[in-house]
């Protein structure tokens, strides 16, 4: 059983954020039929679907059907969104509230874009919807994953303004948490440092380390390619295609089995993993 399976229902986005990596794959959205095939294939492998690798999930033309299919198979759905398309999707999201565990809003998307949308209109829309979602029992996480790190400098000059505005909207007593705050029931503010995606990392390679890929999680790209983790955005570690092969067989093939065994031993054998600086955040 995996704690998380990331299903990229589409790799197309309506924004162009500076923190996102270069996508070498063709623009693609998974069909509803393909998504249902994945839901059937994942029975017994996980209870939690994350509709994310690349792309904006709310942009999917059949997003309503996607949520309905996930609910039909009893999965708990987690959505990561930039929050700009909530106006047209809020009713369908709320209608499937019983099957939605968490919505993460990438508020750092605003400053990472130069497209000129209004910050107050944007935040007001996200905050208003999050209140409705929280009342339905959905966890809402406002992400500011743009703090400076030793790797790079984040676009974070608006963080203070966003936090101040949050205080005016949610004026209850906040509770400090290890990466941010519990703002109120079912609503959280979360900080994290900006990172370099492993496919674009220029860091020195290392042969030792640990990752949750293939141990606690896998990801499935829009064309059905199964990869070990949600940071393999270009499918460099192609373990097989779930539309062509049984998932059990994919995971038991020599490449996946050897990689998983090595990770348990603290060994990094894949080139992508050996240059991944994000994995340094994990401790065993």
């Amino acid at each position: 059983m995996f704690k998380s399976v990331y299903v990229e229902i589409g790799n197309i986005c309506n924004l162009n954020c500076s923190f996102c990596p270069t996508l070498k794959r063709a623009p693609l959205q998974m069909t509803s039929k393909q998504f249902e095939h994945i839901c059937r294939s994942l029975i017994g492998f996980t209870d939690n679907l994350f509709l994310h690798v690349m792309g904006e999930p709310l942009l999917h033309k059949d997003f309503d059907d996607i949520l309905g299919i996930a609910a039909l198979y009893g999965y708990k759905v987690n959505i990561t969104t930039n929050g700009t398309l909530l106006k047209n999707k809020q009713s369908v999201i709320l209608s499937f509230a019983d099957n939605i565990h968490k919505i993460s809003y990438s508020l750092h998307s605003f400053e990472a874009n130069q497209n000129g949308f209004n910050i107050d209109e944007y935040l007001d829309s996200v905050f208003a919807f999050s209140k409705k979602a929280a009342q339905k029992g959905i966890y809402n996480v406002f992400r500011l994953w743009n703090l400076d790190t030793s790797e790079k400098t984040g676009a974070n000059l608006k963080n203070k303004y966003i936090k101040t505005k949050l205080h005016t909207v949610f004026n209850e007593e906040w509770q400090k948490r290890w990466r941010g705050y519990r703002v109120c029931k079912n609503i959280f503010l979360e900080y994290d440092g900006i990172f370099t995606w492993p496919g674009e990392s220029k860091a020195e390679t290392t042969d030792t380390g640990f990752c949750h890929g293939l141990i606690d999680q896998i990801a499935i790209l829009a064309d059905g390619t199964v990869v070990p983790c949600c940071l393999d955005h270009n499918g460099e570690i192609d373990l097989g295609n779930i539309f062509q092969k049984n998932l059990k067989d994919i995971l038991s093939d020599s490449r996946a089995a050897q990689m998983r065994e090595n990770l348990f031993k603290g060994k990094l054998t894949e080139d992508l993993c050996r240059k991944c600086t994000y994995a340094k955040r994990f401790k065993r």
Side-chain angles (χ1 to χ4, degrees), residues 192-210:
D192 209 339
I194 195 166
F195 63 91
T196 303
W197 288 69
E200 299 185 344
S201 175
K202 296 180 181 178
E204 292 185 9
T205 59
T206 179
D207 297 324
T208 60
F210 174 75

Side-chain angles (χ1 to χ4, degrees), residues 67 71 76-77 90-103 132-133 135-139:
L67 291 185
K76 283 294 184 181
V77 174
Q90 59 178 311
S91 60
V92 67
I93 292 174
L94 295 177
S95 69
F96 287 105
D98 289 345
N99 289 90
I100 297 177
H101 173 66
K102 180 174 68 174
I103 303 175
K132 297 176 184 177
Q135 290 171 355
K136 292 279 190 175
I138 300 172
Y139 288 106

